[in-house]
Amino acid sequence: MESHFSDYHKELVLILDFGSQYTQLIARKVRELGVYCEIYPHDLDLKTVRSMKPRGIILSGGPSSINQENAPLCDRAVFDLGAPVLGICYGLQLTAHLFHGRVEKSPKREYGKAHIYIEKKDRFLEGVRDGDIVWMSHQDKVLAMPEGFITLARSDNSPHAAIRNEKGTIYGVQFHPEVHHTPKGKRILKNFLFGICKLKGLFSPRSFVEIATQRIREEVGKEKVVCALSGGVDSTVVAALIHRAIGKNLRCVFVNNGVLRKNEAEEVISAYKNALHLNLKYVNAEDTFLKALKGVKDPERKRKIIGRLFIKIFEEEAGNIGNVRYLAQGTLYPDVIESVSSKGPSATIKSHHNVGGLPKRMKMALIEPLRELFKDEVRIVGRELGVPENIVSRQPFPGPGLAIRIIGDITKERLDVLKEADSIIREEVEHNPAFKHIWQSFAILIPVKTVGVMGDERTYANVIALRVVESEDAMTADWARLPHATLDAVARRIINEVPGVNRVVYDISSKPPSTIEWE
Ligand code: XMP
């Protein structure tokens, strides 16, 4: 079937990364504007750059100083490819340096809000007014403009806060248009992409779905694909997408490892079967996992046991299907980027379902249809594909599940206590729209009993800890300042409704130096 969607890959914007913490944010903003972009290390070789036929190039910020020894550079010829270039912060300083301007360290670091003032009207700054606020974070600044360049705007502290070359093919800004503290930042990026690069903006979740579907059909043909479902967003969206492309030839396997949350298996199976109509094999391996975990206290051993057993069961199931050529995985773009700044934020959050050695061992080829997407895009694509909201907006849940939230021994009784307590915090926080911004909220069972009173009786029962954190990417996290009324409701309900618990405590540590999980 011929698609009426134009291929957004033809409008690629290349982002060269000089190490800024904001590089991924630039990419996300550009994509929000409907333009497909990819991030690469700053020294990507020219041949590769050329072969990608970028329609625009953005040079990111970075922590270095252009005058330092071994300052990160890009090939000067990048400016001559015919694609407009935008340098941001360090990217601007690098541009000025490569074109023989003078960049120097100022005695004072300019950090935070600043105002800009227009020096020369230009479509790049269309919609920006004198005095508008921009976000600065730099110490070096351009003091002498390179020849053939014009100043478009100055700021309180930078005489050349926005510049361009005379031809209007190279632009630079000292401030960060990608952060939300620059209110007109998105407008400026829009001006660059549509006014200067002359792009149409072909990228959208809809167009992604159409093009990904076509590609999967082309690649897979009439072969079978197997996919392990975990109930999480990534694996579910992968399955929904491949199912759209090849229907029943996608075989899904959902393994109940016994350490899922209360009613979780039933809920996700119902979504998979009734809402998504997936060809699903449900494997209830609760007993096998709990037997293997018996007496195991060490968290890393718990993880290994669960990971290995999962692979074994999954391999058996895939073997039973027979003649499966492809294994689908929910790898996302942050796992793929080889940028200088992201030496693997998400590398540490890999779920045990993303099992590296598996495809080779099983002689299967890997298909990873979400490799181009950021997490927020995966959620939008999921909604587009009809994935139910309770899965799309679900908090991250670790592969080893409740096993690493029961400190010490895992027994059926202790699991039941935790499942009940956890379901209460899910109801009060995860399912409450007021707390949508919460990254994770869950309960932990501590292997300590404390004294309490209930009626006239003295009790000696379990302690539940509550962990609720806010985070962007799980690399750092802060404990959530939940309203006292919410904390009160959760604690009261747990103590009243969960037999065997007489105390609830709230974890007020941040990451680092703590971690999100307790094990
Ligand atoms: P920590 O505890 O390291 O957790 O701050 C960071 C993020 O990773 C999740 N996590 C895991 N996910 N398998 C997973 O799939 C694991 O073994 C694992 N350990 C931690 C955790 O829930 C948080 O989102």
Side-chain angles (χ1 to χ4, degrees):
M1 193 181 63
E2 204 35 49
S3 163
H4 62 281
F5 285 91
S6 318
D7 192 345
Y8 54 80
H9 293 94
K10 292 191 184 125
E11 282 198 346
L12 174 73
V13 165
L14 196 63
I15 299 171
L16 294 181
D17 181 24
F18 290 86
S20 165
Q21 54 174 330
Y22 298 133
T23 304
Q24 289 198 19
L25 200 53
I26 303 175
R28 282 166 53 195
K29 293 285 156 178
V30 168
R31 290 183 182 197
E32 272 171 33
L33 287 164
V35 173
Y36 183 68
C37 58
E38 291 182 357
I39 301 173
Y40 289 92
H42 60 88
D43 51 1
L44 186 67
D45 68 285
L46 192 66
K47 214 171 127 206
T48 312
V49 175
R50 209 176 261 136
S51 70
M52 293 178 176
K53 301 197 175 84
R55 296 281 308 275
I57 296 172
I58 298 179
L59 313 175
S60 85
S64 315
S65 167
I66 189 66
N67 296 319
Q68 82 189 41
E69 221 179 301
N70 297 327
L73 301 174
C74 64
D75 198 313
R76 163 76 207 256
V78 156
F79 293 89
D80 305 325
L81 296 176
V85 177
L86 169 62
I88 296 177
C89 197
Y90 181 83
L92 160 87
Q93 294 151 12
L94 168 78
T95 307
H97 173 83
L98 290 175
F99 286 86
H100 312 297
R102 190 159 55 86
V103 178
E104 271 180 27
K105 211 181 201 96
S106 40
K108 219 176 87 213
R109 205 172 124 79
E110 191 178 12
Y111 182 81
K113 282 182 187 165
H115 299 90
I116 57 165
Y117 302 93
I118 310 289
E119 294 275 303
K120 182 172 169 48
K121 262 183 98 151
D122 191 276
R123 63 189 160 173
F124 177 64
L125 294 179
E126 220 169 82
V128 179
R129 289 212 223 127
D130 268 351
D132 273 348
I133 289 170
V134 294
W135 183 261
M136 295 279 195
S137 173
H138 66 112
Q139 187 148 18
D140 285 7
K141 62 183 170 194
V142 177
L143 288 183
M145 286 282 279
E147 223 181 88
F149 277 75
I150 308 161
T151 303
L152 300 179
R154 68 185 154 82
S155 73
D156 310 304
N157 273 309
S158 302
H160 312 289
I163 68 171
R164 76 159 163 82
N165 66 349
E166 274 159 6
K167 278 207 300 208
T169 52
I170 303 172
Y171 284 78
V173 283
Q174 183 55 78
F175 53 89
H176 289 273
E178 70 276 22
V179 304
H180 78 267
H181 309 290
T182 301
K184 297 271 176 70
K186 207 163 171 180
R187 175 69 202 260
I188 296 171
L189 289 174
K190 195 171 166 188
N191 292 341
F192 177 69
L193 298 170
F194 301 112
I196 290 148
C197 300
K198 305 275 185 233
L199 301 176
K200 294 201 185 82
L202 305 173
F203 179 69
S204 69
R206 256 323 279 289
S207 61
F208 171 82
V209 167
E210 289 301 329
I211 284 161
T213 305
Q214 250 176 17
R215 284 176 157 190
I216 295 166
R217 281 189 191 134
E218 274 161 27
E219 184 177 347
V220 172
K222 295 201 169 351
E223 299 291 341
K224 278 184 249 172
V225 179
V226 66
C227 175
L229 290 174
S230 70
V233 189
D234 306 344
S235 68
T236 307
V237 175
V238 165
L241 185 61
I242 300 179
H243 180 260
R244 185 179 193 270
I246 63 165
K248 296 279 178 225
N249 273 348
L250 170 69
R251 305 297 184 91
C252 300
V253 178
F254 178 75
V255 180
N256 183 344
N257 60 12
V259 282
L260 302 175
R261 288 163 292 188
K262 188 182 172 185
N263 298 333
E264 188 165 10
E266 293 79 5
E267 280 167 21
V268 295
I269 290 166
S270 152
Y272 289 154
K273 291 208 155 155
N274 304 331
L276 298 172
H277 311 290
L278 298 178
N279 191 346
L280 176 75
K281 172 76 192 280
Y282 171 56
V283 185
N284 187 350
E286 272 182 287
D287 292 343
T288 317
F289 276 89
L290 292 188
K291 224 188 211 159
L293 286 167
K294 198 165 172 217
V296 179
K297 288 192 172 67
D298 176 61
E300 287 316 302
R301 269 199 69 209
K302 289 180 182 174
R303 282 189 170 83
K304 281 211 177 88
I305 290 170
I306 294 172
R308 284 199 193 123
L309 203 48
F310 170 80
I311 292 180
K312 185 167 168 279
I313 295 173
F314 181 67
E315 269 180 344
E316 278 168 19
E317 292 300 330
N320 290 341
I321 300 166
N323 286 328
V324 181
R325 282 279 294 277
Y326 295 92
L327 174 73
Q329 279 193 351
T331 313
L332 304 192
Y333 194 49
D335 294 318
V336 176
I337 307 174
E338 258 188 69
S339 64
V340 271
S341 57
S342 63
K343 290 256 183 300
S346 39
T348 46
I349 330 170
K350 292 238 168 74
S351 113
H352 76 284
H353 291 309
N354 286 344
V355 231
L358 205 54
K360 218 175 181 177
R361 201 168 126 170
M362 298 173 73
K363 301 198 177 63
M364 288 195 276
L366 200 55
I367 76 167
E368 300 171 306
L370 306 182
R371 299 176 55 87
E372 289 178 349
L373 300 189
F374 288 110
K375 189 88 182 185
D376 38 358
E377 294 168 337
V378 173
R379 293 208 163 92
I380 304 173
V381 164
R383 290 190 183 103
E384 182 74 35
L385 289 164
V387 175
E389 194 55 36
N390 62 342
I391 295 184
V392 165
S393 56
R394 208 171 89 136
Q395 294 177 357
F397 182 64
L402 299 183
I404 55 166
R405 293 176 182 171
I406 294 179
I407 313 303
D409 266 352
I410 300 161
T411 61
K412 187 89 180 55
E413 294 69 37
R414 301 189 75 212
L415 247 174
D416 287 340
V417 169
L418 183 62
K419 279 186 185 176
E420 289 303 321
D422 188 72
S423 77
I424 292 172
I425 186 166
R426 284 190 93 190
E427 275 169 36
E428 300 287 336
V429 181
E430 187 173 354
H431 297 163
N432 183 340
F435 301 124
K436 258 179 131 162
H437 63 286
I438 295 294
W439 175 264
Q440 275 173 298
S441 49
F442 55 89
I444 300 123
L445 180 60
I446 310 174
V448 166
K449 293 203 169 175
T450 68
V451 175
V453 281
M454 240 174 229
D456 290 335
E457 272 185 44
R458 187 175 174 279
T459 57
Y460 190 56
N462 289 301
V463 184
I464 286 285
L466 304 177
R467 183 72 165 140
V468 186
V469 295
E470 293 176 18
S471 174
E472 288 291 322
D473 53 11
M475 289 298 286
T476 62
D478 197 8
W479 62 277
R481 273 60 168 176
L482 283 187
H484 287 176
T486 309
L487 287 171
D488 185 54
V490 176
R492 266 174 208 279
R493 282 196 56 196
I494 291 177
I495 293 169
N496 288 333
E497 294 173 31
V498 185
V501 177
N502 67 359
R503 192 176 297 272
V504 170
V505 296
Y506 193 49
D507 181 349
I508 54 167
S509 1
S510 290
K511 173 183 181 175
S514 299
T515 49
I516 296 177
E517 304 288 346
W518 277 36
E519 280 201 333

